[in-house]
Amino acid sequence: MDEDYLLVPKHQQEDSLNDSLEVVIWMRDRVGIHVTLECGGHDATAEDLFEVAVEQRGLPQDCANIFSIWLVSPLLELRLKKSHKPFRFAQMWDEFCDLYTDAKPDEISRDEPLVMFQRNVFLTLEEEMKISNEVMLNLLYHEAKFNVIEGRYVVQPDEYDQMAGIQALIHLEHYNPKTHTQEHYKKELHKFYPEFMQKPKSSRFFKFGKNQNEEEELLEVRVQRAHQEISDEYKDTDMKQALPGLYRRYLEVCWQYAFYGSAFFEGKVQKQVGKIKGHVPGVEKDFEVLVALNTDGICIIDHLREETVLAVPYEELSWALYTNKEDENRMAALLLQFLVTSEEGKQVTKVLVVFSSQAKMMDALINSCVKRKRQQHDQSVPDGARQESSRDGARQESSRDGARQESSRDKPTQKYRNGNFCCKITNKLEKMTLSTYTLKGEMIKPP
C-alpha cells in the first residue's frame, strides 16, 4: 500500500485532550474525504463517517447494504458495525494485530490503519447486479480493480487482457497510436496486471491451461491490443455516456468467480507430500493461503502460486472452530467439511484444516453469512411452504451445517457465480492434505 494512502495514523490517540478529530475517509478510487469532527470526534461512530461519505460523494441514502466502513492496513482489515467507533479501534490496533496476525512486533508498531469506504461483504451478488447508479458502479469497479491488481482475484489470461483493455479505455479513453505506444504501456503495467504476471516466465509458478502462447507475448503488447480492440467497439460512443456500461462490463468478468466480493483472511494448510518427501528435513509441509469468504461460500487461494485450490458453496459445507487454547504453541484452526463425489461415483466428505490466527473471525463471518442466506431464502418461500418446511424440521439443524437445505433448483442458472458457485474454478484437492469420511461420519482415509 502506498505511503500517501496512510492518513489515519494510530498516534492521533496521543492528542487525547483535544475533542476534535481530523479523519480521512478513503475510497478505492483513491479519493479521500477530509473531515474535521469538531465535537466528540473521538466518539464518532462508523455510521457517522458513513453518512459523511454518502453526502460528499452524492450517493443514495439507502446504500448502507452496499457499502460499509472498514479499518484497513497492510496487516489487517476489519469491517466496522454502525455503532463501532473507528478512533477507539485505532487505539487498539496493535492489540488487534497481535491477536489476529502473525506479524512481528516491529511490523505491528509500524502498521497504520486507515478508514476505508468500500463494498459491504454482506452484499449479495444478486443485489449488486441490480445496481445502475454510476457512482456506485464506479466505486465497485475500482475496488474490483484493486483486488485484481493485488492478486486476490485470480482470473484467466485472456480475461486479464480483457479487463486491462476496459481499464485502459476508462482511464486513457480511445486508443491513439501516436501516444499509446508499447513503451507507454510498459511503464504502466503495474496498473493493469498483478505483480506475478509481470515476473519473468522462469520465476513464475502458475501456468493457466495448456496453451502458453499468451505468456510468451509481452504484456505491453497484450494490453495495447486489448485497448485498441475495445476502442474500436466504442469508436462512435461518447466516453462519458459509456462509463457506466464499462464499469459494469469489468465487474461482469469478476461476477463469474467464486471469490468475488469476499473478505480475505490469511492462513496455512498442509500440502500433500509423498511419504519420502514427508520425512526429508527442510521440506515445507504447509503453504500459505488466502481464505476468501462471501455471501455464497468459501475459497482457498494458494497465494504463492496464484491459483484457487478450493471453492465450496455453503450448501455443501460444514465447519468447526478449534481454538487450541490448551496448547499455546498451536495456532487456532478452522475445520472445513465439504461434499465430494469419489472416483467410484459415491458421495463422501473431505475435511480440510486451515490454521490461522484469524480463524475466530472467519468462523464468525461464515456463521453470519449462513444465517443471512437462510433468512433470505425463507423470505422468498411462500408462507405455506415455509410452515411445511418448519414442521419437518429440515431447517432446525445446527447453524454449523451450512445451508444445505436450500434446493439447487432454487438457484438461477446463468453464467455468473450465483448460477454456479464453482463455474470458473476446478478444485485441486490433490494439493492439500485431506481426510475422507462417509456421509455417516465413518473415516475412509486419514489425512
Side-chain angles (χ1 to χ4, degrees):
M1 191 172 294
D2 295 343
E3 289 299 322
D4 62 355
Y5 228 5
L6 305 175
L7 296 181
V8 187
K10 293 177 295 187
H11 57 253
Q12 280 191 334
Q13 64 193 53
E14 299 172 3
D15 188 15
S16 58
L17 298 178
N18 188 352
D19 201 30
S20 64
L21 180 68
E22 290 189 4
V23 178
V24 179
I25 307 170
W26 284 102
M27 311 283 188
R28 283 299 180 192
D29 61 357
R30 302 185 65 85
V31 172
I33 301 173
H34 295 249
V35 182
T36 301
L37 304 170
E38 296 291 351
C39 184
H42 296 82
D43 289 319
T45 64
E47 185 175 22
D48 295 330
L49 299 184
F50 186 91
E51 291 175 354
V52 171
V54 168
E55 180 181 355
Q56 291 293 318
R57 290 302 297 263
L59 290 163
Q61 292 296 318
D62 58 349
C63 65
N65 67 313
I66 298 171
F67 300 102
S68 55
I69 294 293
W70 294 64
L71 278 184
V72 175
S73 80
L75 295 182
L76 187 63
E77 299 181 6
L78 296 178
R79 174 188 171 274
L80 303 186
K81 296 180 179 179
K82 291 182 179 180
S83 59
H84 285 161
K85 299 176 180 179
F87 175 75
R88 304 303 175 191
F89 270 63
Q91 287 182 306
M92 302 170 62
W93 198 250
D94 287 0
E95 298 174 44
F96 287 138
C97 289
D98 183 57
L99 185 62
Y100 294 120
T101 75
D102 302 324
K104 298 176 181 178
D106 61 324
E107 294 174 320
I108 293 175
S109 66
R110 295 193 302 268
D111 197 53
E112 297 279 3
L114 60 92
V115 175
M116 183 69 72
F117 182 95
Q118 63 184 31
R119 190 184 190 279
N120 187 341
V121 70
F122 294 120
L123 175 68
T124 67
L125 185 56
E126 289 82 2
E127 291 170 330
E128 177 169 330
M129 291 171 65
K130 297 176 183 177
I131 296 174
S132 59
N133 180 278
E134 182 175 348
V135 180
M136 288 185 181
L137 289 172
N138 172 57
L139 293 176
L140 292 169
Y141 153 74
H142 277 283
E143 185 169 344
K145 177 166 66 71
F146 169 81
N147 284 315
V148 170
I149 302 305
E150 286 293 305
R152 290 176 166 184
Y153 291 175
V154 184
V155 301
Q156 298 293 330
D158 61 326
E159 291 172 329
Y160 278 117
D161 297 341
Q162 178 186 350
M163 298 166 89
I166 296 170
Q167 182 182 335
L169 185 59
I170 290 173
H171 298 282
L172 304 177
E173 298 193 351
H174 289 98
Y175 175 76
N176 184 337
K178 294 182 179 180
T179 56
H180 299 144
T181 62
Q182 289 183 20
E183 188 63 30
H184 171 82
Y185 295 111
K186 187 175 183 179
K187 295 177 181 178
E188 303 290 325
L189 285 179
H190 64 283
K191 297 180 180 179
F192 294 101
Y193 293 97
E195 183 179 0
F196 81 92
M197 292 281 289
Q198 303 171 49
K199 293 179 180 179
K201 183 180 178 181
S202 59
S203 67
R204 289 165 57 181
F205 286 93
F206 184 41
K207 305 292 185 293
F208 287 97
K210 298 180 180 180
N211 185 355
Q212 304 301 320
N213 292 333
E214 295 94 341
E215 294 189 344
E216 296 171 0
E217 191 172 32
L218 294 174
L219 290 180
E220 54 265 34
V221 176
R222 291 163 57 176
V223 67
Q224 183 185 45
R225 181 174 60 247
H227 187 190
Q228 185 173 4
E229 289 176 352
I230 195 169
S231 291
D232 291 341
E233 288 185 47
Y234 288 81
K235 62 182 178 180
D236 297 324
T237 307
D238 178 72
M239 280 306 303
K240 188 174 182 180
Q241 294 179 352
L243 285 178
L246 289 171
Y247 297 147
R248 186 178 182 87
R249 187 166 172 175
Y250 190 98
L251 291 169
E252 285 176 346
V253 179
C254 301
W255 288 347
Q256 301 174 83
Y257 284 91
F259 43 67
Y260 177 72
S262 290
F264 289 87
F265 305 87
E266 295 180 349
K268 292 183 179 181
V269 302
Q270 190 173 358
K271 68 170 63 172
Q272 187 69 267
V273 295
K275 292 183 179 180
I276 297 178
K277 279 189 175 182
H279 295 285
V280 175
V283 173
E284 188 64 45
K285 298 182 177 66
D286 297 328
F287 64 94
E288 295 182 353
V289 298
L290 283 180
V291 181
L293 298 175
N294 56 37
T295 57
D296 291 323
I298 182 170
C299 287
I300 306 295
I301 302 169
D302 183 338
H303 203 32
L304 178 62
R305 297 180 182 270
E306 303 292 348
E307 63 177 336
T308 304
V309 294
L310 180 67
V312 183
Y314 292 133
E315 290 86 351
E316 300 173 10
L317 177 73
S318 296
W319 79 100
L321 172 67
Y322 279 75
T323 57
N324 289 322
K325 289 183 179 179
E326 66 282 354
D327 188 350
E328 294 182 357
N329 296 321
R330 294 196 64 187
M331 193 178 296
L334 193 68
L335 273 63
L336 305 175
Q337 185 175 26
F338 50 94
L339 292 171
V340 173
T341 301
S342 69
E343 295 179 357
E344 294 78 22
K346 296 181 180 180
Q347 278 203 323
V348 297
T349 65
K350 298 280 188 178
V351 176
L352 173 67
V353 181
V354 181
F355 295 97
S356 175
S357 299
Q358 300 174 340
K360 189 173 182 180
M361 297 169 64
M362 290 188 273
D363 173 65
L365 181 55
I366 295 175
N367 196 36
S368 296
C369 288
V370 168
K371 285 183 178 179
R372 285 170 178 259
K373 196 171 185 68
R374 282 183 176 151
Q375 291 170 356
Q376 291 167 353
H377 179 266
D378 288 344
Q379 291 170 1
S380 66
V381 175
D383 290 341
R386 192 181 310 143
Q387 291 171 5
E388 182 68 26
S389 175
S390 179
R391 277 198 296 271
D392 66 24
R395 297 187 186 281
Q396 304 305 318
E397 297 183 16
S398 167
S399 65
R400 297 184 179 277
D401 194 24
R404 288 184 188 159
Q405 297 79 17
E406 183 181 351
S407 169
S408 60
R409 61 177 175 268
D410 294 327
K411 291 184 172 185
T413 54
Q414 51 190 17
K415 67 176 183 178
Y416 302 122
R417 184 190 76 207
N418 54 343
N420 179 2
F421 186 72
C422 304
C423 65
K424 296 285 286 188
I425 293 171
T426 301
N427 288 338
K428 300 173 178 62
L429 304 184
E430 71 281 358
K431 293 182 177 290
M432 301 170 286
T433 298
L434 304 164
S435 51
T436 308
Y437 294 83
T438 66
L439 295 183
K440 294 181 179 180
E442 301 167 345
M443 180 177 285
I444 301 174
K445 180 183 177 183

